[in-house]
Amino acid sequence: MTRWWSRLRPDNFTLALLGTVLLATLLPMTGTAARGLDRFTDLAIATLFFLHGARLPREAVVAGLLHWRLHLLILACTFVLFPLLGLAFKPLDGRVLTPELYLGVLFLCALPSTVQSSIAFTSMAGGNVPAAVCAASLSSILGVFLTPLLMGVLAGAQGGMADPLHAVGAIMLQLLVPFVAGHLLRPWLARWVERQRALLRHTDQGTVLLVVYGAFGESVSEGLWHDTPLGSLLAVALVSAVLLAIAMPGITWLARRLGFGREDEIPIVFCGSKKSLATGVPIAKVLFAGGSLGAIVLPVMVYHQLQLVVCAMVARRYARKAT
């Protein structure tokens, strides 16, 4: 029982997320304070992606790009398989799930892969780490373009979503430009960034908490919890679990069917099945500026915790089989 609890108990970041949602519910910011928080959050997001760009080794990009079949499969799982799975839940829209929560499920399915945790789990499992670095980073960069365009196809103007092409420009300015600037300055910043790994982790998590607080505070003021039945919240957890339960075994089967070895299968499974909360929340902030942002990011938050727990167990199993 102790071993199972150690695997299933929430990590500190998840507890911080729950605390942030509670704080936003009890003490939401409004008026001038909310606008000031919004501007500060934009600055924090730009800083986060600048640091991500400075940390990405160019050697890993060059080495990883040579493995094009692996990257093509991961991108297909991330931006084709998941959106199709999201559409399969359409019968739940307006019945078990509120329209805003179903829009959040579609948004979850259109998101790019995580970077840091995908690399960490690949390393823990004994997989191809350079390929994971390149695949996860490529997915994150392409997500700036593909996620808004996919949402335009999947949801149209539902939920107050901004025009996809306009959103791509705004997201590029907020995420991609700082990322490229950080990467170009890497020769001068690399050593400092490597010594400050904890800073990047805290910047990553702190930025997500800021956006979640602002999003939920605004949504609570607009009646989020009053308009969202308990059954719909439970349905979000169930849908997230079903998505992960289909994706991970399915992606594993695809990797083996296509002849990938164990070292390459591992990054395919982790990068192909994970969805980025750190990238998703800033994109949602731009894409759904006029919508119910709190309800839309809720499925991403739930899936985030589930994927961490399940991927940790899968990574340990891969590691045990290798010894």
Side-chain angles (χ1 to χ4, degrees), residues 48-65 115-116 119 129-141 176 178-187 189-191 193-194 197 200:
L48 167 66
F49 279 84
F50 177 86
L51 292 173
H52 272 299
R55 187 179 177 185
L56 179 63
R58 198 159 301 174
E59 300 79 8
V61 175
V62 174
L65 284 173
V115 177
Q116 289 172 292
I119 297 167
V129 175
V133 171
C134 183
S137 301
L138 181 63
S139 176
S140 184
I141 294 169
L176 189 60
F179 182 92
V180 172
H183 190 64
L184 292 176
L185 292 173
R186 177 174 166 76
L189 297 176
R191 291 184 181 178
V193 170
E194 288 303 317
R197 286 178 176 269
L200 184 58

Side-chain angles (χ1 to χ4, degrees), residues 19-81:
T20 301
V21 171
L22 179 61
L23 180 64
T25 299
L26 299 176
L27 296 171
M29 278 192 181
T30 56
T32 304
R35 290 191 292 273
L37 176 67
D38 190 60
R39 286 192 289 270
F40 181 75
T41 302
D42 289 342
L43 178 62
I45 290 169
T47 302
L48 167 66
F49 279 84
F50 177 86
L51 292 173
H52 272 299
R55 187 179 177 185
L56 179 63
R58 198 159 301 174
E59 300 79 8
V61 175
V62 174
L65 284 173
L66 299 176
H67 212 338
W68 64 269
R69 289 181 65 247
L70 178 144
H71 301 307
L72 193 60
L73 178 57
I74 291 172
L75 292 174
C77 292
T78 302
F79 296 115
V80 178
L81 174 62

Side-chain angles (χ1 to χ4, degrees), residues 188-275:
W188 296 274
L189 297 176
R191 291 184 181 178
W192 180 83
V193 170
E194 288 303 317
R195 290 196 302 267
Q196 303 294 330
R197 286 178 176 269
L199 173 65
L200 184 58
R201 184 175 70 253
H202 293 316
T203 304
D204 192 330
Q205 296 178 353
T207 301
V208 170
L209 295 177
L210 275 174
V211 180
V212 167
Y213 175 74
F216 271 87
E218 181 180 349
S219 297
V220 166
S221 299
E222 295 174 355
L224 170 65
W225 300 126
H226 181 267
D227 298 336
T228 307
L230 177 60
S232 293
L233 297 177
L234 295 175
V236 167
L238 181 59
V239 166
S240 299
V242 171
L243 273 173
L244 195 58
I246 294 173
M248 288 198 77
I251 293 170
T252 304
W253 178 84
L254 275 174
R256 293 174 182 175
R257 182 75 174 175
L258 293 173
F260 288 95
R262 177 188 173 278
E263 284 195 355
D264 291 337
E265 174 190 316
I266 290 170
I268 290 171
V269 171
F270 289 129
C271 296
S273 65
K274 295 174 107 288
K275 292 293 183 175

